[in-house]
Amino acid sequence: MKSARPRVIAGNWKMNKTVEEALAFVRDLLPQIEGNAGDVLLAVPFTAIYPLAQAAEGSRLLIGAQNMNDASEGAYTGEVAALMLIDAGAKFVLLGHSERRHLFGESDEWIHKKVVRAVKDGIAPLLCIGETLLERGDGRTKEVLERQLLSALSGLSAEELASLRIAYEPVWAIGTGETATPSLAQEAHSFIRSWLSSHLSKEFADKTPLLYGGSVTPENSRQLLEEADIDGLLIGGASLSLDSFVKIVHDSTF
Ligand code: PGA
């Protein structure tokens, strides 16, 4: 049932690009993705959300954030709330990216609270999950994915999670140049899909886009997308260059 799900190509710029650089990128990108089928997303630094959302208005490019706080507002110096992101024009937010989990100590519990807040306030969560090299070596990949899914999505209904997208990003493949092989990524995606089917519903599992992330390049993107349960890609390094991002978008529709 792969064809029932939209193809999603998402860039994650991390802590890169000034407003001027970001605007130049998006202005050049827009005409090149006009007729493209599928969704094109860019998760950008907070400072670039408003200008890029304005520039992308009416196009098929969705601008999003890379993080948010779980509180609705208040005395949380340095944090940004879901409603602020929506107000600035963000259409989605990455939650639980491995850099947030590992460099900034975000726990499963906190990520769950963020997912709940995103759903409640009306911004689409793009939940990132994935195992470390040590966990994979110990044969614990599925256990880790299951723990992250169970914790992040607990108590939420299929209806509440209608806008959810999930990215499987093995930690050992992020920024390392070491991509998971298509079959290894497919195995994890198929596990995630069956987990969604048994914990939410088959209908929900069939329609939820599952993205792969971790050292995706124009050289390996197409092969990954040919797998039955890989509906899209979350791209870090290769999304910073217009040429490689556009090439991945163009190669993604087949
Ligand atoms: P990468 O990053 O493509 O540079 O490996 C992916 C990500 O962190 O989302």
Side-chain angles (χ1 to χ4, degrees):
M1 281 294 290
K2 184 165 177 146
S3 57
R5 294 184 291 273
R7 187 55 59 76
V8 182
I9 302 299
N12 172 15
W13 281 356
K14 309 192 180 185
M15 200 171 72
N16 291 289
K17 295 195 192 292
T18 62
V19 170
E20 196 183 331
E21 290 164 348
L23 272 172
F25 184 106
V26 163
R27 284 187 188 126
D28 286 346
L29 172 68
L30 289 176
Q32 303 196 57
I33 60 169
E34 232 166 55
N36 218 82
D39 298 332
V40 182
L41 280 63
L42 276 180
V44 304
F46 292 132
T47 45
I49 293 173
Y50 182 75
L52 293 193
Q54 296 276 303
E57 192 149 338
S59 79
R60 39 185 312 284
L61 171 67
L62 303 179
I63 299 298
Q66 301 168 14
N67 184 29
M68 58 170 234
N69 194 270
D70 65 289
S72 60
E73 63 180 350
Y76 301 101
T77 302
E79 293 294 289
V80 174
L83 290 176
M84 295 171 175
L85 298 180
I86 295 168
D87 180 51
K91 300 286 191 280
F92 72 97
V93 59
L94 301 187
L95 294 177
H97 188 277
S98 81
E99 283 151 18
R100 298 302 316 172
R101 293 178 190 262
H102 298 285
L103 302 176
F104 300 100
E106 290 195 12
S107 63
D108 285 334
E109 292 70 31
W110 198 14
I111 292 159
H112 173 240
K113 286 185 186 167
K114 292 182 184 208
V115 175
V116 171
R117 171 61 59 192
V119 161
K120 185 162 187 285
D121 286 355
I123 185 165
L126 201 175
L127 173 69
C128 304
I129 59 174
E131 82 288 359
T132 64
L133 192 57
L134 201 67
E135 289 161 341
R136 175 161 284 272
D138 286 350
R140 293 173 48 218
T141 298
K142 289 179 180 168
E143 179 195 319
V144 170
L145 296 180
E146 176 151 38
R147 189 200 76 224
Q148 292 174 337
L149 286 167
L150 192 60
S151 153
L153 307 182
S154 72
L156 294 164
S157 66
E159 203 170 51
E160 288 170 309
L161 292 171
S163 66
L164 177 74
R165 299 177 182 95
I166 296 177
Y168 167 63
E169 298 204 299
V171 180
W172 46 271
I174 297 179
T176 58
E178 199 174 325
T179 326
T181 59
S183 63
L184 194 143
Q186 164 58 24
E187 194 185 330
H189 280 235
S190 136
F191 174 78
I192 294 166
R193 192 151 342 259
S194 32
W195 189 93
L196 294 175
S197 181
S198 54
H199 287 77
L200 286 137
S201 70
K202 175 155 187 337
E203 190 198 350
F204 179 81
D206 282 343
K207 75 168 190 49
T208 301
L210 302 185
L211 284 62
Y212 167 80
S215 296
V216 173
T217 64
E219 286 68 47
N220 60 29
S221 61
R222 168 108 189 200
Q223 245 196 321
L224 287 156
L225 287 172
E226 278 169 359
E227 295 292 334
D229 289 294
I230 302 184
D231 310 310
L233 302 167
L234 180 55
I235 307 149
S239 74
L240 292 171
S241 134
L242 185 68
D243 285 353
S244 55
F245 189 63
V246 166
K247 183 154 190 345
I248 294 172
V249 172
H250 286 170
D251 283 356
S252 71
T253 43
F254 52 85

